[in-house]
Amino acid sequence: MKKIIAAVTAIAIVYSVANAELLKNFKYDGKIEVNAYTTQNYYDHNSDGKDTTSDVDTRVQLNMGFDLNEDVRANVSIVKANRQYGDGSEHLNTLQNNLFVDQAYLDIKGVFGIDHKFGRQYYGNEGDLVIYYGPKGWPYQFNLSVPGANNLGVTGVDGWTGYYKNGKLDLTAALFKLSNSNTGVEDLDSDIAGLDAKYALNDNVTLGAYIYEKKDYNDTSRDDLTDVVGLKAFGKYSGFDYYAEYAKNYGKVGTDKLEGSAYLARLGYGMDLAGKIYFCGEYASLSGNDSPTKEEGFQSIAGDYRPGIIWGGDITTQTNDFKTWNLGVKWTPESINKLTAGAKYYNFTDEINGDAIGNELDIALNWNHSDKLGITAYYAMFDYDEDILGYDGDATKMLGAALNVKF
């Protein structure tokens, strides 16, 4: 890690015409993540068959920043996430080819009363229903249909973000270039524009509204438009915390109108019981499509809503046409306050016809050794409904452990 920092620093100095102030207020931080997991019955849902997998994914993130001048700060994030344990040693040329700059932006404060980010950047929050660009967090993703693939992915996006805050009002505006391509004279780019607003009514209630549009240019006269408009409310009151969101699609794909929608509601309650105990419940519905003339399935911009270790971790899982509710509890005992034990039960059904999809049970033990080191052991079991499989299959099971080191 020190060699990487030294190399980046040396390059910056060389290309700055020896500006002595280039690395002023230089700071760095990062994270090393290791996720080891084994599954049973993932492919054929039959415990009598040979259907066991075992993989260990790794990811290293390094974030660096320094002042270019009194008004502008430069930020760079380098990510390496290509290896699984067992791949063997790595040639330095291979290492170099797998270091990706997922953030490289200028942070400018207070121009026209707005803070700005220009360049490649992360955007949004993990688990967001509509849009998130950044490192995929818990539940860590896996894709067993691509053996040997490291699935701890990171996505960034190029463009501009503006931030404005005035008292209880927060505004965020975004203009992104998602892709840049052409065929001769045809422009086949994809662009994203959005506005997100939040207003704190008081200490207990914050209201929010947003609108995002993704425009996919194509080689016909009809460009595809994916619009998402949403409302949200969240806050805390008397030991409870809550979150509610509604999102609606507008726009079109070809000649089909987008009419999808999504609901998300979450409620939690914390109390003291021989330590700290927290109860939570959640309901979500993402519409599906059964119309030949319009698109009723919910379409996000880059959604990251992934409930469950197995359902949410499997990147091949459907992204709409399902309803889900879950109930969970986690407890940090007073006598062992570095340990948190949690369990959550999920139910999944088809949004269009209400048929059962399956149920999932997740159990996790987290050892928070310090604010820089955490270890999680987990077990998950997903049982598909017989009607979905067409036969009475065995439950898919996953056992794993994850290491998280910050520096």
Side-chain angles (χ1 to χ4, degrees):
M1 189 58 61
K2 291 182 178 179
K3 292 181 179 179
I4 295 176
I5 296 172
V8 173
T9 303
I11 293 171
I13 293 174
V14 169
Y15 284 95
S16 68
V17 197
N19 184 347
E21 292 295 310
L22 181 67
L23 299 179
K24 183 179 181 181
N25 294 325
F26 176 79
K27 296 180 180 179
Y28 74 91
D29 60 61
K31 184 186 298 186
I32 300 171
E33 295 165 279
V34 181
N35 183 41
Y37 54 95
T38 180
T39 69
Q40 292 180 330
N41 310 326
Y42 178 82
Y43 293 105
D44 59 17
H45 313 290
N46 182 0
S47 59
D48 294 331
K50 187 178 180 181
D51 189 8
T52 302
T53 71
S54 177
D55 287 299
V56 182
D57 295 336
T58 65
R59 178 170 64 195
V60 180
Q61 303 176 67
L62 173 63
N63 308 308
M64 297 168 288
F66 53 88
D67 293 342
L68 288 178
N69 55 44
E70 60 273 16
D71 299 313
V72 182
R73 185 168 178 82
N75 298 272
V76 177
S77 294
I78 298 175
V79 177
K80 185 177 186 296
N82 66 300
R83 290 190 74 252
Q84 289 184 317
Y85 279 21
D87 286 348
S89 59
E90 192 168 60
H91 195 283
L92 285 178
N93 288 336
T94 303
L95 184 151
Q96 173 182 288
N97 291 335
N98 286 284
L99 293 176
F100 289 92
V101 179
D102 284 299
Q103 288 198 113
Y105 66 89
L106 298 179
D107 195 350
I108 305 174
K109 301 292 185 181
V111 177
F112 305 117
I114 302 173
D115 295 339
H116 307 260
K117 279 186 180 180
F118 287 94
R120 190 159 186 83
Q121 58 193 270
Y122 301 149
Y123 182 83
N125 300 304
E126 288 186 49
D128 194 87
L129 192 64
V130 175
I131 183 168
Y132 170 69
Y133 290 96
K136 294 289 187 181
W138 182 266
Y140 289 123
Q141 290 194 315
F142 63 95
N143 183 359
L144 301 185
S145 62
V146 185
N150 185 320
N151 298 293
L152 297 184
V154 178
T155 57
V157 64
D158 296 319
W160 166 82
T161 308
Y163 303 91
Y164 173 78
K165 182 175 178 60
N166 185 0
K168 298 181 178 181
L169 177 65
D170 279 283
L171 293 175
T172 302
L175 294 172
F176 297 135
K177 176 69 69 174
L178 185 60
S179 66
N180 182 35
S181 61
N182 62 77
T183 56
V185 297
E186 299 290 351
D187 188 344
L188 305 180
D189 294 358
S190 291
D191 298 337
I192 297 173
L195 180 64
D196 191 305
K198 299 181 182 69
Y199 185 82
L201 291 179
N202 51 50
D203 294 338
N204 300 318
V205 181
T206 298
L207 302 179
Y210 56 82
I211 178 171
Y212 288 95
E213 179 178 83
K214 182 174 73 171
K215 185 173 184 179
D216 295 312
Y217 300 87
N218 53 54
D219 55 3
T220 71
S221 60
R222 297 182 179 273
D223 297 327
D224 295 335
L225 298 174
T226 301
D227 295 336
V228 186
V229 178
L231 300 171
K232 63 178 70 174
F234 55 93
K236 296 182 178 181
Y237 181 75
S238 188
F240 288 91
D241 61 85
Y242 64 90
Y243 182 92
E245 182 175 1
Y246 171 72
K248 184 74 174 68
N249 281 135
Y250 296 95
K252 61 183 179 61
V253 175
T255 59
D256 294 341
K257 293 182 179 180
L258 298 185
E259 297 186 5
S261 61
Y263 307 83
L264 176 62
R266 185 183 304 125
L267 182 66
Y269 179 74
M271 59 182 293
D272 294 330
L273 182 65
K276 300 290 184 181
I277 191 167
Y278 181 78
F279 301 94
C280 59
E282 182 180 77
Y283 173 81
S285 174
L286 283 71
S287 65
N289 181 46
D290 60 354
S291 171
T293 59
K294 53 188 176 183
E295 179 56 64
E296 297 176 325
F298 178 68
Q299 305 293 322
S300 69
I301 302 298
D304 191 45
Y305 180 63
R306 296 179 287 115
I309 293 174
I310 294 178
W311 176 276
D314 184 354
I315 61 177
T316 63
T317 300
Q318 65 197 73
T319 56
N320 60 27
D321 187 20
F322 72 90
K323 294 180 180 180
T324 180
W325 59 264
N326 63 71
L327 296 173
V329 60
K330 61 181 180 180
W331 178 53
T332 302
E334 186 175 10
S335 58
I336 316 176
N337 58 18
K338 291 186 177 182
L339 175 68
T340 298
K344 188 171 284 191
Y345 174 82
Y346 296 84
N347 174 270
F348 296 89
T349 58
D350 186 280
E351 191 275 336
I352 293 177
N353 54 37
D355 291 343
I357 296 175
N359 305 293
E360 179 170 341
L361 174 64
D362 296 346
I363 299 173
L365 298 174
N366 177 257
W367 182 261
N368 187 28
H369 185 76
S370 67
D371 60 349
K372 299 292 186 180
L373 174 61
I375 302 171
T376 300
Y378 58 90
Y379 171 81
M381 179 177 67
F382 191 100
D383 190 10
Y384 279 98
D385 188 84
E386 181 179 351
D387 292 336
I388 293 292
L389 294 178
Y391 58 91
D392 187 11
D394 294 313
T396 298
K397 300 175 182 178
M398 175 177 280
L399 181 67
L403 173 69
N404 190 311
V405 179
K406 298 178 182 179
F407 57 88

